[in-house]
């Protein structure tokens, strides 16, 4: 069977990992693919002295790869939005199959890219873009094909999960962030990770592949973890919950919920036990129920594992003479539904509320009455006399499931009370029922 | 695009679930498959009054399905060995693709069946045979394609996991087994489940798909959970471990370890948290590291989810005009390695030992000296004076990793001591390092 020739664009962390694994495991990979997968060309702005290229053609211009007639599959590992978009569209135009690890590219420009690939009859694969080495796109698009997928919830940013895990020991966000930066887990500018933008890219892709709707990143809601305190983490634990930075997508009749925010999850649920830089994605289907996919969400060879799985998929499909076997978003383009993302006020959730009450008589009654007026039922309430300080005392409330709009209105009224000091802390909670 | 016509053989739990999900989710499934998947015929010894067949042809002879020229894909859900083997081989001979949920069939007759399918150029798919609704065969054969898979460890029998979970509350094996039978989690004859035979079928398949070796069920080692006591479970917990009935497959230079037995796993590891009837499979690859796949390992619609995922895979492949895209065992038949299963004496593991010592002076020294002579190092040792009863006291030892042969010899010598009463309890322990 004919060799498949791969051109690697970008030789950073993932590019280097891909080069090394393709080289080291060449025999195993050929055994699985049914043909040799050969690195035909590598391009990167800066060469890497630490990798032995063994005579493989090297360019500093990534466009050399897509113009090389020897290359069958272009592997885009340069990252970013615009340059990657240009590269991928040009590769498609040249009739190359594309494998990418670029979640931002797919979340933002995926609809355009898939349409171009469909016209050119080439494959675009993006497993490595979501949850690194975990084959969750494959599981959702293929393994769950029988199911109406109802919701997906994931810990899909390792940096944020590392920070929240370390904060359980009572440490402050800023201190752990600095440590994560020193360890290389967090970027110098941590915004993408800690504010949930990176997770929202991945969630956008997961939701579209699971529900069969176009990519709608611009309508995803993101809330970061920088406001989370060790105090709230400890009190959530007392209530039997753990705070995780979750991406949650839910399919409803009237649209989809698409949101990344700190979330209380039951400590007894398996996803609460996923600690450190690891990732996990829970998928709920109407036939199978809940399944979970767990593993490293980043790292050179872990991400390369997903990149190469896609290359093998392309090789298996191409060498059997057919084109894109699995539709880009799991559903045939003609079967995609025109379902929009819902505004956050329309979502339903349980809520953890932390209210700083003045030590006045009757304040609890006022709080309870405001919640009740907005149809909010209380599951648990905690107030400890020992925490009274400067005439203020924290009141912790866990509500039953309610519409976010109701909670927002109740919070407005609570904050207007002279018996309440400052803002109400509000963190969403999920029971996965 | 042409419809794909499916013939269902067997209308028990999984057959009924498959019928219902294919009918209920027909539109979603067609959207994913790119064509309609139509039930063309159903055959079962006994009709089911509770299912509305809606005019679909029904036979009591399963061979009607494989002889029906309208049928593209035969779904084998009758179970068992010989009748299923005959049916599947005849279906292949008639040019039908086959989807099966029958782990016993594949583990025992898989080599023969795959060879016949290869010759006839049809697909045989068996995702539902391993871990029910969890797409673990897909993850191993496709998602992990870049990796040299080093080991696989799984909780792949829900009945056994349910029993061990309940026993943590101090209940005896026999009592929980009876309850499991009353709840319908365990069969009237529970041998297949509690003695590890069912798990060994699944492990055999996982190992071959992961390592690229022929199926060798007859050489798998099985040890059941009927000898596990609440006492050992409690002491394992004190040592920081949980007892799980694991299937473990490990690839070594000289062969593969293929074994099902009760195993201590660190309580801090995610797999220790998988409770009740749920399944989970840990896969360790050289590039990706550890990934885990979790979900329901049985049940009508959960298993149907995997059956239908395979049907969609067949439909996507067939409608794109190609044949078996993914090799049966993940590797091209010509790339399969002739690696044999190792004898249990050659495996390496840590061990939990419970020794009933007579309350004689110097007995601990004798025990330690025998272990030391066999190159066995002790990680933890526990002996509580308060447990002295009738002149006997339990000594609990956790060893470092050592070859099983050494442990067996040491146990022989220990049991020969007059200072030791009865047999030494030995349970293997894994740290997943």
């Amino acid at each position: 069977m004919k060799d498949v020739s791969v051109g690697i664009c970008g030789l950073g962390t993932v590019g280097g990992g891909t080069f090394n694994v393709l080289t080291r495991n060449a025999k195993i990979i050929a055994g699985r693919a049914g043909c040799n997968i050969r690195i035909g060309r590598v391009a990167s702005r800066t060469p890497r002295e630490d990798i032995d290229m063994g005579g493989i053609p090297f360019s500093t211009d990534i466009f050399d790869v897509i113009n090389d007639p020897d290359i069958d599959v272009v592997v885009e590992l340069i990252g970013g939005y615009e340059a990657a978009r240009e590269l991928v569209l040009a590769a498609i135009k040249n009739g190359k199959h594309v494998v990418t690890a670029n979640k931002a590219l797919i979340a933002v420009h995926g609809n355009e890219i898939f349409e171009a690939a469909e016209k050119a009859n080439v494959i675009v694969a993006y497993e490595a873009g979501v949850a690194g080495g975990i084959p969750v796109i494959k599981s959702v698009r293929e393994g769950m094909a029988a199911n109406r997928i109802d919701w997906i919830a994931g810990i899909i940013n390792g940096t944020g999960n590392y920070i929240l895990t370390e904060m359980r020991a009572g440490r402050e966000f800023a201190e752990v962030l600095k440590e994560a930066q020193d360890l290389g887990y967090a970027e110098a500018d941590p915004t993408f990770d800690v504010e949930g933008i990176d997770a929202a890219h991945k969630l956008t892709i997961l939701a579209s592949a699971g529900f069969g709707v176009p990519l709608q990143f611009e309508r995803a809601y993101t809330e970061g973890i920088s406001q989370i305190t060790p105090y709230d983490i400890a009190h959530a634990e007392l209530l039997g919950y753990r705070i995780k930075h979750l991406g949650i997508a839910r399919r409803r009749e009237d649209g989809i919920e698409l949101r990344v925010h700190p979330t209380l999850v039951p400590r007894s649920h398996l996803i609460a036990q996923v600690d450190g830089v690891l990732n996990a994605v829970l998928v709920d289907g109407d036939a199978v129920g809940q399944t979970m996919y767990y593993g490293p969400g980043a790292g050179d060879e872990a991400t390369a594992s997903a990149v190469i799985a896609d290359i093998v998929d392309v090789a298996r499909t191409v060498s059997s003479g057919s084109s894109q076997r699995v539709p880009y978003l799991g559903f045939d383009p003609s079967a995609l539904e025109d379902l929009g993302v819902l505004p956050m006020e329309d979502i339903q959730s349980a809520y953890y509320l932390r209210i700083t009450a003045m030590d006045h008589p009757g304040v609890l009654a006022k709080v309870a009455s405001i919640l009740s007026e907005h149809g909010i039922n209380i599951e648990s309430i905690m107030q400890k006399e020992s925490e009274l300080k400067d005439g203020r005392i924290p009141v912790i409330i866990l509500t039953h499931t309610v519409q976010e709009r109701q909670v927002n209105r109740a919070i407005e009224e609570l904050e207007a009370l002279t018996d309440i000091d400052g803002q109400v802390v509000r963190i969403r909670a999920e029971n996965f029922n």
Side-chain angles (χ1 to χ4, degrees), chain A residues 8-12 15-16 41-48 53 57-65 77-78:
Chain A
I8 298 177
C9 299
L11 211 49
R41 180 174 289 278
V42 175
S44 173
R45 263 180 310 186
T46 41
R48 273 181 65 167
M53 305 285 292
F58 179 88
S59 313
T60 50
D61 182 356
I62 49 172
F63 281 81
D64 284 357
V65 172
L77 302 172
I78 62 171

Side-chain angles (χ1 to χ4, degrees), chain A residues 61-73:
Chain A
D61 182 356
I62 49 172
F63 281 81
D64 284 357
V65 172
I66 64 160
N67 291 321
D68 183 340
D70 172 53
I71 299 297
D72 303 305
V73 184

Side-chain angles (χ1 to χ4, degrees), chain A residues 35 206 321 334 420:
Chain A
C35 62
L206 277 173
S334 66
I420 301 295

Side-chain angles (χ1 to χ4, degrees), chain A residues 43 51 105 194 204 234 251 299 374 396:
Chain A
I51 296 178
L105 175 74
V194 303
T204 298
R251 189 190 207 300
H374 289 89
I396 314 281

Side-chain angles (χ1 to χ4, degrees), chain A residues 4 14 79-80 86 96 102 151 154 157 190 228 265 275 280 282 284 291 303 314 323 331 335 347 361 410:
Chain A
V4 168
V14 180
E86 268 178 52
K96 313 290 190 194
N102 191 334
W151 55 262
N157 182 278
I228 298 294
V265 298
D275 281 338
L282 257 179
D284 188 282
T291 56
T303 309
V314 171
S323 62
F331 285 77
I347 75 150

